[in-house]
Amino acid sequence: MTLNRQPRPTPDDRELRLWRVGRALVVTFAAAVLVASGVFYGLVYLLDFQEIDSKAKLDAATLFDLVKLSFGVVAGAGALVALVVAYRRQRVDEAGAHREATRLHTERFSVAVDKLGSDSPAVRLGGVHALAGLADDAPDDSLRQTCIDVLCAYLQLPFTPDPGDDPAHQEEHHRYLALRKVRHTILRLIGDHYRRPKGTHRSWQGCDLDLTGVTIDGVLDFGGAVFSDGSVSFDGAVFSGSEVYFGGAIFSGGEVYFGHATFSSGQVSFSDATFSGGMVSFGGATFSNGGTSFRNAVFSGGRVSFGNATFSGRVLSFGGARFSGGVVSFDSTVFSGGMVSFDGMAFSGGGMSFRDAAFSGSLVSFDNATGSAPDGLLAAVGSPPSASVTLAAPWLTSNP
């Protein structure tokens, strides 16, 4: 390994440096004396002692006070200059420390990325933890974002599907499970870091998260995570595991995309989640073959879109959800099969639209729903409603 060593100063260089320092001290001392003299004569002039010998009597005590005052003014000015110099030196030291921290971060980053590209799943797992640690200790936000981007890019890489339990493919099956563990570890670390309060150590809140097109073939637990500001994308993602959990998650500010994502099999839960401000899109997403819950979710401010989404399967629940302010759109959404529940839904203020939505083959319930009828809802379910709709909300029996 080649080290970049700075050349040692020669004796002539040291003598030249000492001569320059000595000259600076002499010049500074001479300047201080000149300034003190100028201040002294200025004070004498202001006190009207120009004609000391003929009229005014300037005794020794007064003269001494003037001299002290003169040097006091110079000392104050010197202290101010010293503060400025110290501040500049501190800034230079901080910049140097940041450069050194960035250099060390870059070296560690290169090693971690090399591990992530290893053929050994165990070494890759070490690279994942190393990158997560680098993101936590990054000297600035841009370097932290770079580490997160690399972890997301790893999840976006194509991988060989599980060949199954056939003994003839046992080695490939074991390798698939090992690499699957690496992917799941990244998702677990992401969830952990987005649960940490913003501004604290190891918190990634506010950073961009690009999981476009990823395949998540296991349990995803982002419960309680906070996605505020920044951009979070699950566009085109495929969730095929047993459970997708965003319970209690907070989506505020920024932009969050689940557009054209596929939620198949298992349970999908956004129960008690909060959607406020910013933009959240489920446009074109498909929810099938499982239960989907937005129970007690709060939609306030911002815009949430389920436009062109398809809900098919056992149960879709918006029971107890609160819609206030902002805009929530179910335009052209298709609800087919199973049961759709808006029981206890409260709609107040803002905009909520079901234009061109279609309820087909579903049992739709609005028990104890309150508020005025959202735009287009009566046309979607029928007015008066069809037999498949529970007559519980009074506004279902009349036009908006």
Side-chain angles (χ1 to χ4, degrees):
M1 180 175 62
T2 303
L3 298 178
N4 295 326
R5 300 181 182 275
Q6 298 294 332
R8 295 183 178 179
T10 62
D12 291 340
D13 292 336
R14 288 195 294 269
E15 290 178 3
L16 179 59
R17 189 177 304 166
L18 290 174
W19 179 82
R20 288 176 177 173
V21 172
R23 185 180 64 174
L25 291 175
V26 172
V27 171
T28 302
F29 177 77
V33 172
L34 290 175
V35 172
S37 300
V39 172
F40 173 78
Y41 284 108
L43 291 173
V44 170
Y45 180 81
L46 291 174
L47 294 175
D48 201 20
F49 289 127
Q50 300 98 318
E51 301 178 2
I52 295 177
D53 295 334
S54 59
K55 296 180 180 179
K57 296 297 183 181
L58 186 61
D59 56 21
T62 302
L63 181 61
F64 183 67
D65 289 340
L66 289 176
V67 172
K68 288 197 299 181
L69 182 58
S70 301
F71 279 97
V73 172
V74 173
L80 179 61
V81 172
L83 286 175
V84 173
V85 172
Y87 172 75
R88 289 178 60 85
R89 182 181 296 112
Q90 181 181 1
R91 292 292 300 272
V92 171
D93 291 343
E94 290 176 352
H98 185 269
R99 286 194 299 271
E100 179 64 16
T102 301
R103 184 185 66 80
L104 293 175
H105 177 92
T106 302
E107 292 178 355
R108 294 172 57 194
F109 177 82
S110 299
V111 173
V113 171
D114 286 342
K115 289 182 178 180
L116 202 58
S118 171
D119 289 334
S120 169
V123 175
R124 291 191 187 189
L125 193 61
V128 167
H129 285 284
L131 276 173
L134 280 173
D136 296 337
D137 301 331
D140 55 54
D141 291 340
S142 64
L143 294 176
R144 177 177 296 108
Q145 184 63 63
T146 300
C147 295
I148 297 173
D149 288 344
V150 172
L151 292 174
C152 290
Y154 181 88
L155 292 174
Q156 293 172 320
L157 294 175
F159 59 90
T160 303
D162 187 3
D165 297 331
D166 189 340
H169 303 287
Q170 186 175 22
E171 184 177 349
E172 291 85 349
H173 175 65
H174 289 166
R175 180 171 177 79
Y176 165 81
L177 293 178
L179 294 177
R180 183 171 180 256
K181 178 67 174 178
V182 176
R183 296 194 304 274
H184 289 184
T185 298
I186 295 175
L187 293 170
R188 177 179 60 80
L189 290 173
I190 290 174
D192 290 344
H193 284 82
Y194 275 88
R195 275 187 283 265
R196 296 183 178 275
K198 188 174 183 178
T200 61
H201 181 58
R202 299 182 64 195
S203 174
W204 293 356
Q205 290 183 26
C207 294
D208 295 338
L209 189 65
D210 185 6
L211 296 174
T212 301
V214 299
T215 297
I216 300 173
D217 55 349
V219 174
L220 174 67
D221 183 6
F222 279 1
V226 178
F227 303 97
S228 60
D229 305 320
S231 175
V232 178
S233 175
F234 288 93
D235 261 6
V238 177
F239 300 85
S240 60
S242 58
E243 183 177 3
V244 178
Y245 186 65
F246 284 88
I250 297 176
F251 303 87
S252 63
E255 299 175 338
V256 181
Y257 298 99
F258 289 91
H260 303 286
T262 300
F263 298 85
S264 61
S265 303
Q267 300 293 317
V268 179
S269 175
F270 287 86
S271 299
D272 300 300
T274 299
F275 302 86
S276 62
M279 170 69 182
V280 180
S281 175
F282 291 89
T286 300
F287 298 80
S288 61
N289 301 324
T292 303
S293 174
F294 286 86
R295 290 188 60 84
N296 300 316
V298 176
F299 300 85
S300 62
R303 180 177 178 84
V304 180
S305 173
F306 292 91
N308 296 294
T310 300
F311 293 92
S312 61
R314 296 194 300 273
V315 178
L316 167 63
S317 175
F318 283 88
R322 298 291 181 267
F323 300 88
S324 62
V327 176
V328 180
S329 170
F330 289 91
D331 293 348
S332 300
T333 302
V334 176
F335 302 86
S336 63
M339 178 176 181
V340 181
S341 171
F342 287 89
D343 294 346
M345 177 191 78
F347 173 71
S348 61
M352 185 176 181
S353 175
F354 282 82
R355 288 186 179 277
D356 300 317
F359 292 83
S360 62
S362 299
L363 175 63
V364 185
S365 175
F366 291 89
D367 282 344
N368 300 314
T370 60
S372 58
D375 185 26
L377 178 59
L378 297 182
V381 300
S383 179
S386 63
S388 63
V389 179
T390 302
L391 297 176
W395 38 259
L396 282 177
T397 61
S398 61
N399 290 323

